[in-house]
Coordinates of all heavy atoms in Angstrom, one line a residue:
G1292 N 5.1 -12.4 43.8 CA 6.6 -12.3 43.6 C 7.4 -13.2 44.4 O 7.0 -14.1 45.1
C1293 N 8.7 -13.1 44.0 CA 9.7 -14.0 44.7 C 9.6 -13.9 46.2 O 9.9 -14.9 46.9 CB 11.1 -13.6 44.2 SG 11.5 -13.9 42.5
F1294 N 9.3 -12.7 46.7 CA 9.2 -12.6 48.2 C 8.2 -13.5 48.8 O 8.3 -13.9 49.9 CB 8.8 -11.1 48.5 CG 8.8 -10.8 50.0 CD1 9.9 -10.5 50.7 CD2 7.6 -10.8 50.7 CE1 9.9 -10.2 52.0 CE2 7.5 -10.6 52.0 CZ 8.7 -10.2 52.7
A1295 N 7.2 -13.9 48.0 CA 6.1 -14.7 48.6 C 6.6 -16.0 49.1 O 6.1 -16.6 50.1 CB 5.0 -14.9 47.5
D1296 N 7.6 -16.6 48.4 CA 8.1 -17.9 48.8 C 9.2 -17.9 49.8 O 9.8 -18.9 50.1 CB 8.5 -18.7 47.5 CG 7.3 -19.2 46.7 OD1 6.6 -20.0 47.3 OD2 7.2 -18.8 45.6
A1297 N 9.4 -16.7 50.4 CA 10.3 -16.6 51.5 C 9.5 -16.0 52.7 O 10.0 -16.0 53.8 CB 11.4 -15.6 51.2
Y1298 N 8.3 -15.6 52.5 CA 7.5 -14.9 53.5 C 6.8 -15.9 54.5 O 6.2 -16.8 54.1 CB 6.4 -14.0 52.9 CG 5.6 -13.2 53.8 CD1 6.2 -12.2 54.6 CD2 4.2 -13.4 53.9 CE1 5.4 -11.5 55.5 CE2 3.4 -12.6 54.7 CZ 4.0 -11.7 55.5 OH 3.3 -10.9 56.4
Q1299 N 7.0 -15.6 55.8 CA 6.3 -16.4 56.8 C 5.2 -15.5 57.4 O 5.4 -14.5 58.2 CB 7.3 -16.7 57.9 CG 8.5 -17.5 57.5 CD 8.2 -18.8 56.8 OE1 7.3 -19.6 57.3 NE2 8.8 -19.2 55.7
M1316 N 15.7 -11.5 51.2 CA 16.8 -12.1 50.5 C 16.8 -11.9 49.0 O 17.8 -12.0 48.3 CB 16.8 -13.7 50.7 CG 15.6 -14.3 50.2 SD 15.6 -16.1 50.5 CE 16.7 -16.7 49.2
W1317 N 15.6 -11.5 48.5 CA 15.5 -11.4 47.0 C 15.8 -9.9 46.6 O 16.3 -9.7 45.5 CB 14.1 -11.8 46.6 CG 13.9 -13.3 46.7 CD1 13.1 -14.0 47.5 CD2 14.6 -14.3 45.9 NE1 13.2 -15.3 47.4 CE2 14.1 -15.5 46.3 CE3 15.5 -14.3 44.9 CZ2 14.6 -16.8 45.8 CZ3 16.0 -15.5 44.3 CH2 15.5 -16.7 44.8
A1346 N -0.6 -14.6 47.5 CA 0.4 -15.5 46.9 C 0.9 -16.4 48.1 O 1.7 -15.9 48.9 CB 1.5 -14.8 46.2
G1347 N 0.6 -17.7 48.1 CA 1.1 -18.5 49.2 C 2.5 -19.0 49.0 O 3.0 -19.1 47.9
N1348 N 3.1 -19.3 50.2 CA 4.5 -19.7 50.2 C 4.6 -21.2 50.0 O 4.3 -22.0 50.9 CB 5.1 -19.3 51.6 CG 6.6 -19.7 51.7 OD1 7.1 -20.5 50.9 ND2 7.3 -19.1 52.7
V1349 N 5.0 -21.6 48.9 CA 5.2 -23.1 48.6 C 6.6 -23.4 48.5 O 7.0 -24.5 48.8 CB 4.5 -23.4 47.2 CG1 4.9 -24.8 46.7 CG2 3.0 -23.3 47.4
G1350 N 7.5 -22.4 48.2 CA 8.9 -22.6 48.1 C 9.6 -23.0 49.4 O 10.4 -23.9 49.4
S1351 N 9.3 -22.2 50.4 CA 10.0 -22.5 51.7 C 9.0 -22.8 52.9 O 9.5 -23.0 54.0 CB 10.9 -21.3 52.1 OG 10.1 -20.2 52.4
G1352 N 7.7 -22.6 52.6 CA 6.7 -22.9 53.6 C 6.2 -24.3 53.6 O 6.4 -25.0 52.6
T1353 N 5.5 -24.6 54.6 CA 4.9 -26.0 54.7 C 3.5 -26.0 54.3 O 2.8 -24.9 54.2 CB 5.0 -26.5 56.2 OG1 4.1 -25.7 57.0 CG2 6.4 -26.5 56.7
V1354 N 2.9 -27.2 54.1 CA 1.5 -27.3 53.7 C 0.7 -26.7 54.9 O -0.3 -26.0 54.6 CB 1.1 -28.8 53.5 CG1 -0.4 -28.9 53.3 CG2 1.9 -29.3 52.3
D1356 N 1.5 -24.4 57.0 CA 1.6 -22.9 57.0 C 0.5 -22.3 56.1 O -0.2 -21.4 56.5 CB 3.0 -22.4 56.5 CG 4.1 -22.7 57.5 OD1 3.8 -22.8 58.7 OD2 5.2 -22.8 57.0
L1357 N 0.4 -22.8 54.9 CA -0.6 -22.3 53.9 C -2.0 -22.6 54.3 O -2.9 -21.8 54.2 CB -0.3 -22.8 52.5 CG -1.1 -22.2 51.4 CD1 -1.1 -20.7 51.4 CD2 -0.6 -22.7 50.0
G1391 N -2.8 -17.7 45.1 CA -1.7 -18.3 44.2 C -1.0 -19.4 45.0 O -0.6 -19.2 46.1
V1392 N -0.9 -20.5 44.4 CA -0.3 -21.7 45.1 C 1.2 -21.6 44.6 O 1.6 -22.3 43.7 CB -0.9 -23.0 44.7 CG1 -0.3 -24.1 45.5 CG2 -2.4 -22.9 45.0
G1393 N 2.0 -20.8 45.3 CA 3.4 -20.6 44.9 C 3.5 -19.5 43.8 O 2.5 -19.1 43.2
N1394 N 4.8 -19.2 43.5 CA 5.1 -18.2 42.5 C 6.4 -18.6 41.8 O 7.4 -19.0 42.4 CB 5.3 -16.8 43.1 CG 5.9 -15.8 42.1 OD1 5.3 -15.3 41.3 ND2 7.2 -15.6 42.3
E1395 N 6.4 -18.6 40.4 CA 7.5 -18.9 39.6 C 8.3 -20.1 40.2 O 9.5 -20.0 40.5 CB 8.5 -17.6 39.5 CG 7.8 -16.5 38.8 CD 8.7 -15.3 38.4 OE1 9.9 -15.3 38.9 OE2 8.3 -14.4 37.7
A1396 N 7.5 -21.2 40.3 CA 8.1 -22.4 40.8 C 9.3 -22.9 40.0 O 10.1 -23.6 40.6 CB 7.0 -23.5 40.9
W1397 N 9.4 -22.5 38.8 CA 10.5 -22.9 37.9 C 11.7 -22.1 38.2 O 12.8 -22.4 37.7 CB 10.1 -22.7 36.4 CG 9.3 -21.4 36.2 CD1 8.0 -21.3 36.1 CD2 9.9 -20.1 36.1 NE1 7.6 -20.0 35.9 CE2 8.8 -19.2 35.9 CE3 11.1 -19.6 36.1 CZ2 8.9 -17.8 35.7 CZ3 11.3 -18.2 35.9 CH2 10.2 -17.3 35.8
G1398 N 11.6 -21.1 39.0 CA 12.7 -20.2 39.3 C 12.9 -19.9 40.8 O 13.1 -20.8 41.6
C1399 N 12.6 -18.6 41.2 CA 12.8 -18.2 42.6 C 11.9 -18.9 43.6 O 12.1 -18.9 44.8 CB 12.7 -16.7 42.7 SG 11.1 -16.0 42.3
G1400 N 10.8 -19.5 43.1 CA 9.9 -20.2 43.9 C 10.3 -21.7 44.3 O 9.5 -22.4 44.9
G1401 N 11.5 -22.1 43.9 CA 12.0 -23.4 44.2 C 12.8 -24.1 43.2 O 13.3 -25.2 43.4
N1402 N 13.0 -23.5 42.0 CA 13.7 -24.2 40.9 C 13.2 -25.6 40.7 O 14.0 -26.5 40.5 CB 15.2 -24.1 41.2 CG 15.8 -22.7 40.9 OD1 15.7 -22.2 39.8 ND2 16.4 -22.1 41.9
M1403 N 11.9 -25.7 40.6 CA 11.3 -27.1 40.4 C 11.1 -27.4 39.0 O 11.1 -26.5 38.1 CB 9.9 -27.1 41.1 CG 9.9 -26.7 42.6 SD 8.2 -26.7 43.2 CE 8.5 -25.8 44.8
Y1407 N 7.5 -32.1 39.1 CA 7.5 -32.0 40.6 C 6.5 -31.0 41.1 O 5.8 -31.2 42.1 CB 9.0 -31.6 41.0 CG 9.2 -31.6 42.5 CD1 9.3 -32.7 43.2 CD2 9.2 -30.4 43.2 CE1 9.5 -32.7 44.6 CE2 9.3 -30.3 44.5 CZ 9.5 -31.5 45.3 OH 9.7 -31.4 46.6
Y1408 N 6.5 -29.8 40.5 CA 5.6 -28.8 41.0 C 4.1 -29.2 40.9 O 3.3 -28.9 41.7 CB 5.8 -27.4 40.2 CG 4.7 -26.4 40.6 CD1 4.7 -25.8 41.8 CD2 3.6 -26.2 39.7 CE1 3.6 -25.0 42.2 CE2 2.6 -25.3 40.0 CZ 2.6 -24.7 41.3 OH 1.6 -23.9 41.6
I1411 N 3.5 -31.1 43.9 CA 3.5 -30.2 45.1 C 2.2 -29.4 45.1 O 1.5 -29.2 46.1 CB 4.7 -29.2 45.0 CG1 6.0 -30.0 45.3 CG2 4.5 -28.0 45.9 CD1 6.1 -30.4 46.7
Y1412 N 1.8 -28.9 43.9 CA 0.5 -28.2 43.8 C -0.6 -29.0 44.3 O -1.5 -28.5 45.2 CB 0.2 -27.7 42.4 CG -1.1 -27.0 42.2 CD1 -1.2 -25.6 42.3 CD2 -2.3 -27.8 42.1 CE1 -2.4 -25.0 42.2 CE2 -3.5 -27.1 42.0 CZ -3.6 -25.7 42.0 OH -4.8 -25.1 42.0
Y1415 N -0.5 -29.2 48.2 CA -0.8 -27.9 48.9 C -2.3 -27.6 48.7 O -3.0 -27.2 49.6 CB 0.0 -26.8 48.5 CG 1.4 -26.7 49.1 CD1 2.4 -27.7 48.9 CD2 1.7 -25.7 50.1 CE1 3.6 -27.6 49.5 CE2 2.9 -25.7 50.7 CZ 3.9 -26.6 50.4 OH 5.1 -26.6 51.1
S1432 N 1.2 -21.8 39.8 CA 2.3 -21.1 39.3 C 2.6 -21.5 37.9 O 3.0 -22.7 37.6 CB 3.5 -21.4 40.2 OG 4.7 -20.8 39.7

Side-chain angles (χ1 to χ4, degrees):
C1293 291
F1294 183 84
D1296 283 298
Y1298 183 61
Q1299 304 299 318
M1316 62 178 286
W1317 291 111
N1348 182 345
V1349 169
S1351 68
T1353 67
V1354 174
D1356 289 336
L1357 186 50
V1392 185
N1394 167 78
E1395 295 189 355
W1397 40 263
C1399 62
N1402 284 302
M1403 305 176 192
Y1407 181 79
Y1408 171 72
I1411 288 290
Y1412 176 96
Y1415 277 72
S1432 173

